[in-house]
């Protein structure tokens, strides 16, 4: 099959291919009918930029540069993808070579919303109300066929783009089948998969239909490497391979899962704890718009001696915003000295409001916040300042002035908020961190860790956090920032590439 | 402390003590005001009777017989317990020595409903809607204190009843703290604990507040032996001990968890797969009332050639009745040849209707059954025959005439229905069995096993079950009955006693 991949002279094959559902650019149609490109950030963009700077991608147009394969997400993207031919204009992408796949909208919706975000996300985060969900019926089967089709489109495109022996970095649960599909098409490639989510333990992963569970694991095992954000998720993946496939798990000298052997192939496991991008954050957090937001927030909080407990999340079922509010209410009940002296600044940015369960969750967040304000609020003090409109500058403003950051997800691949706050904090911030977040593996020693289901313990942690003396707080914040930036995005990316 | 336990001359200390929430007898008040005792069955009653027959309990009144410590469950029990003094009259108990504890009603309710059935049951069966439940707050803490009090009452009573060096068999998740509490009071005793439920995997068990999770594990580890219905639950328990306590798990030659070592003590793990009581069932299933129910069921089913898919469950969230109905609907959709030729006889006996989530579940079962009958039913054929009124004789009648038994729990310690049906089946019955039931470990080879979340696969399994030829069906039923009765209740009990 390899021999069939003859690259047209005008498009050079790439020595590095990155594949992810969301690409580094998105298009929307302006009122005048023209398409405008917006560029995103994140670890992959930094990583690709850095290999371009280092020249690992070879000189462009000859040996070929790195190529990013992604899906068209909306109508603007689709039009741009169709207009562009095989690759988007590098004028739109910040110089990256991007191939955007125009997957049929129904297929994309079924694969992305139906499978990736409603099944795989729920399984890996253990979010189901199990007595009634999930139900794997004929509708699921239709969606699963779409997911296979969507992953196959990626595998086909990568097979076409990748140079002989190229390195391919496949991202996340949307593309779990791609390594296996690609291996069948191009056995010459070095293929890595990286999971940005947690991985479910076997007793939860087994919920998936047997053939689907098997396909997902075989898909990832089609790669030479499977990367995870923390050892815990790598171990869970290995346990699933052993439980579902009967694969052999090889451990290193410290007893950690290091390789999975299955059907004559070996897939190495790797842990790459994506860190915060300190340079970007520090620069961005000191621009004028952030200063403005700080002033507005200070005005909303009131009195200069008031402390702030900040949280910033998408309103995602795993983020545990409701229990966070319960814990705050409990703090005010148990420790009346904080009444009037603290404000819980909660940014809960709506997410997936097309799904009833997310709308209900958002409504519950708002209800509990109102309840607390009604119960404890006074003329000059609103205990909870809830904001639901996404505003990155305001998030950074809250990071800078927070006395306490509450990051209490019930399960989280990593959680970058926990890593970003210490980096930009103005005068030190105590991190109250769920031990079920991947970040706890790196930050747990300097944070106050909590069991996210334990509202009483979380309330106690908030109390201790508010009481922490400024010296210790500043010291801890410094150490948190160091740990949080140990593996900046660009290195996170190039480490994986080198390991492959 | 041991020396303090001087037994009054009138009450002999017991060489064997059994402790369980529910005892072998319950009392209700008659209209004339007098109390009447009703006796129960089950593995413990059979077991105790058999050791009395074997004389292991020593001669009564001298060396002392086995004593059963249980809780008063209702008002009738409480009155009887108060009137009886230390032990109930053996006239009421079928000759057993029973000490019934009159635990304050509020304490009992908080411990039994609040902790045992709403927290521990949900954790071990993985039933929570995790984004919003559980919430471990101050109400939980009050209930937990009640659970400690309730378990302490048991430990105190057992310490008082047990002879020097006696064997104590503590039953189930209601009494998880008892082995540890008892060990502190009476280090001379040989103590075993037996779990009749599944055990949660570490990622789910960790939801419990840390101190509570630790107390529960230390409680069970206070015993010399911890027994489980199947190896899978023993492994999960061992994994929790390692994860939460950092305990050492010692494995046998086949790599199975055999012991847990913690703080200088060793607790052996044992697997005792409680079987069906064949003698009792076969006799009971041929009494006149069962014959009557069979005639009534046959009349309801209609035509003599109609096949029956039978299920018998409490309407418990883990039993998966709703997905069972979905699978049946799918069978009728996909294989129209069964329309008019099969009836799904579903007995769903209300359970815990004091809880909204159980009432909702019951309503959902009824709604889906009605929907199927409305969609497919015809003049002479009602596709689903749903019965919600508990009737043991009718259950046995259904067991006898079933062509297919559907036992598809999402998680189940063992599931005795799966074991009882083959024992009493008149002309052979195909068992469609969830692999998440403990029974699957013993019956899986002869049953058609299914993933209980997979409605499509369950529908296929029902289709195959209906098609199985009578010869194979009869052969499989015979082998299922043999496997199901391999460890009858009396031996299940004495095996544990001997192992201790």
């Amino acid at each position: 099959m390899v021999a069939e991949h003859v690259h047209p002279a005008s498009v050079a094959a790439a020595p590095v291919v990155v594949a992810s559902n969301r690409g580094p650019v998105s298009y929307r149609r302006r009122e005048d009918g023209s398409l405008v490109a917006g560029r995103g950030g994140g670890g992959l963009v930094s990583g690709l930029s850095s290999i371009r700077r280092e020249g690992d991608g070879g000189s462009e147009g000859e040996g070929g540069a790195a190529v990013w394969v992604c899906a068209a997400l909306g109508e603007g993207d689709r039009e741009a993808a169709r207009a562009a031919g095989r690759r988007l204009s590098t004028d739109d992408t910040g110089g990256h070579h991007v191939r955007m796949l125009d997957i049929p909208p129904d297929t994309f919706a079924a694969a992305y919303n139906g499978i990736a975000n409603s099944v795989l996300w729920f399984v890996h985060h253990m979010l189901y109300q199990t007595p009634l969900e999930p139900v794997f019926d004929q509708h699921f089967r239709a969606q699963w066929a779409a997911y296979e089709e969507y992953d196959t489109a990626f595998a086909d495109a990568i097979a076409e783009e990748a140079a002989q022996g190229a390195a391919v970095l496949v991202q996340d649960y949307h593309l779990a089948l791609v390594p296996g599909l690609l291996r069948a098409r191009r056995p010459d490639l070095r293929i890595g998969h990286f999971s940005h989510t947690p991985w479910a333990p076997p007793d939860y992963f087994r919920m998936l239909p047997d053939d689907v569970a098997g396909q997902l694991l075989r898909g990832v095992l089609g790669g030479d490497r499977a990367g995870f954000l923390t050892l815990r998720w790598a171990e869970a993946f290995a346990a699933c391979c052993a439980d579902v496939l009967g694969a052999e798990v090889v451990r290193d000298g410290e007893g950690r899962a290091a390789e999975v052997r299955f059907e004559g192939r070996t897939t190495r496991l790797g842990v790459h704890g994506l860190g915060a991008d300190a340079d970007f954050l520090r620069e961005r957090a000191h621009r004028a718009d952030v200063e403005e937001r700080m002033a507005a927030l200070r005005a909303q909080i009131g009195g200069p001696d008031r402390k702030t407990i900040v949280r910033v999340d998408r309103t995602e079922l795993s983020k545990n915003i409701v229990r966070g509010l319960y814990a705050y209410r409990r703090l005010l009940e148990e420790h009346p000295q904080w009444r009037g002296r603290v404000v819980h600044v909660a940014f809960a940015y709506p997410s997936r409001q097309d799904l009833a369960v997310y709308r209900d969750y958002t409504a519950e967040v708002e209800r509990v916040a109102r309840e607390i304000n009604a119960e404890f609020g006074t003329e000059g003090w609103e205990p909870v300042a809830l904001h639901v409109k996404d505003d990155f500058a305001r998030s950074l403003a809250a990071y800078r002035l927070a006395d306490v950051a509450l990051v209490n997800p019930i399960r989280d691949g990593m959680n970058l908020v926990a890593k970003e706050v210490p980096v930009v904090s103005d005068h030190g911030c105590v991190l109250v961190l769920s031990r079920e977040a991947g970040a706890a593996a790196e930050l747990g020693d300097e944070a106050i860790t909590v069991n996210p289901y334990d509202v009483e313990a979380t309330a106690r942690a908030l109390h201790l956090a508010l009481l922490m003396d400024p010296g210790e707080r500043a010291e801890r914040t410094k150490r948190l920032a160091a740990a949080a930036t140990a593996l900046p995005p660009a290195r996170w990316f190039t480490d994986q590439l080198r390991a492959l």
Side-chain angles (χ1 to χ4, degrees), chain A:
Chain A
M1 293 182 79
V2 180
E4 288 173 27
H5 289 91
V6 178
H7 296 276
S10 59
V11 181
V16 174
V17 180
V18 172
S20 65
N21 175 69
R22 182 180 299 273
V25 59
S26 67
Y27 293 86
R28 62 180 177 78
R29 187 165 286 292
R30 269 194 290 237
E31 289 200 3
D32 67 3
S34 64
L35 284 174
V36 57
R39 294 214 294 272
L44 293 172
V45 174
S46 311
L48 276 185
S49 303
S50 73
I51 64 165
R52 272 176 53 220
R53 280 195 300 273
E54 290 176 21
D56 289 3
S59 57
E60 302 194 16
E62 288 179 52
V67 168
W68 190 326
V69 179
C70 61
L73 303 183
E75 261 319 297
D77 283 4
R78 288 181 192 287
E79 288 179 39
R82 277 179 224 132
R86 191 159 129 183
R87 290 185 190 166
L88 300 176
S89 159
T90 51
D91 293 346
D92 293 346
T93 62
H96 297 297
H97 295 273
V98 177
R99 174 153 176 187
M100 191 176 260
L101 304 178
D102 179 18
I103 293 163
D106 288 354
T107 303
F108 180 79
Y112 180 74
N113 296 321
I115 298 298
N117 286 342
S118 295
V119 175
L120 302 182
W121 180 270
F122 274 60
V123 166
H124 287 315
H125 289 85
M126 300 170 60
L127 295 175
Y128 281 119
Q129 184 179 19
T130 50
L132 293 170
E133 354 153 290
V135 172
F136 296 119
D137 57 9
Q138 70 268 36
H139 307 296
F140 167 82
R141 282 290 158 187
Q143 292 177 328
W144 181 251
Y147 183 84
E148 293 176 307
E149 197 183 317
Y150 158 92
D151 274 24
T152 301
F154 270 85
D156 287 340
I158 300 166
E160 208 169 270
E161 297 291 349
Q164 185 72 20
V168 181
L169 294 175
V170 180
Q171 304 301 314
D172 228 0
Y173 60 102
H174 314 87
L175 304 180
L177 305 181
V178 169
L181 294 168
L182 191 54
R183 169 80 48 208
R185 285 160 175 72
R186 294 286 305 275
D188 60 298
L189 301 177
R190 291 166 293 139
I191 307 171
H193 183 273
F194 195 86
S195 293
H196 295 257
T197 61
W199 196 276
D203 270 17
Y204 215 89
F205 192 76
R206 287 159 62 99
M207 281 182 195
L208 291 166
D210 302 14
D211 57 327
V212 167
Q215 264 183 278
L216 288 166
L217 296 173
R218 286 165 193 265
V220 174
L221 291 178
D224 300 290
R225 264 185 121 250
F228 299 90
L229 285 166
T230 186
L231 180 63
R232 187 173 167 201
W233 314 138
E235 292 281 1
F237 172 76
C240 287
C241 291
D243 186 76
V244 172
L245 299 178
E248 182 194 357
V249 177
V250 181
R251 301 192 166 273
D252 67 12
E254 272 93 55
R256 293 181 296 232
E259 292 178 2
V260 176
R261 292 189 188 156
F262 182 61
E263 293 183 344
R265 291 197 64 259
T266 295
T267 302
R268 284 169 292 138
L269 305 181
V271 174
H272 302 271
L274 177 61
D277 189 343
D279 296 341
F280 164 75
L281 285 169
R282 288 191 180 121
E283 187 276 321
R284 182 68 190 83
H286 286 84
R287 290 202 206 150
D289 58 348
V290 175
E291 304 285 353
E292 279 165 31
R293 303 299 195 289
M294 285 181 79
L297 274 175
R298 283 209 186 89
Q300 185 184 17
I301 291 161
D305 296 336
R306 272 195 192 137
K307 291 187 177 279
T308 54
I309 299 172
V310 165
R311 78 172 304 139
V312 177
D313 289 295
R314 285 179 302 117
T315 309
E316 160 54 48
L317 300 180
S318 59
K319 297 296 183 186
N320 208 21
I321 305 169
V322 174
R323 288 191 193 84
L325 288 165
Y326 290 159
Y328 178 64
R329 176 165 66 193
R330 193 65 188 140
L331 172 79
L332 298 179
E333 279 170 8
E334 278 285 281
H335 304 285
Q337 71 264 36
W338 295 118
R339 294 183 195 169
R341 292 188 49 223
V342 66
V343 171
H344 184 16
V345 176
F347 296 168
Y349 300 142
S351 173
R352 310 190 57 201
Q353 297 294 301
D354 50 319
L355 290 184
V357 62
Y358 280 76
R359 286 197 304 275
D360 291 350
Y361 189 78
T362 301
E364 183 66 5
V365 168
E366 290 175 329
R367 191 188 66 74
V368 178
R370 269 197 312 274
E371 216 175 74
I372 295 171
N373 284 337
E375 184 179 351
F376 294 97
T378 59
E379 182 63 26
W381 173 57
E382 192 182 38
V384 180
L386 177 67
H387 289 266
V388 296
K389 200 175 166 302
D390 195 351
D391 180 341
F392 184 54
R394 196 186 48 211
S395 298
L396 290 172
Y399 288 0
R400 282 183 56 189
L401 56 74
D403 295 292
V404 177
L406 176 57
V407 179
N408 66 330
I410 56 174
R411 199 169 171 91
D412 209 331
M414 172 56 77
N415 198 296
L416 277 178
V417 173
K419 292 191 161 181
E420 289 167 353
V421 171
V423 173
V424 300
S425 171
D426 274 2
H427 49 276
C429 173
V430 186
L431 178 62
V432 174
L433 178 61
S434 166
R435 63 159 183 225
E436 303 299 320
E442 297 162 64
L443 309 181
D445 290 346
E446 303 298 336
I448 302 182
T449 55
V450 293
N451 171 343
Y453 298 93
D454 191 341
V455 165
E456 289 287 283
T458 307
R460 269 199 310 278
L462 292 175
H463 180 60
L464 289 176
L466 289 168
L467 289 177
M468 193 180 285
D469 83 69
E472 184 180 351
R473 187 167 105 162
E475 275 308 306
R476 284 195 185 218
T477 303
K478 213 178 289 173
R479 290 193 293 265
L480 281 170
T485 55
L487 188 61
R491 243 199 65 211
W492 167 82
F493 180 85
T494 51
D495 276 7
Q496 288 178 66
L497 205 53
R498 273 193 203 104
L500 200 56

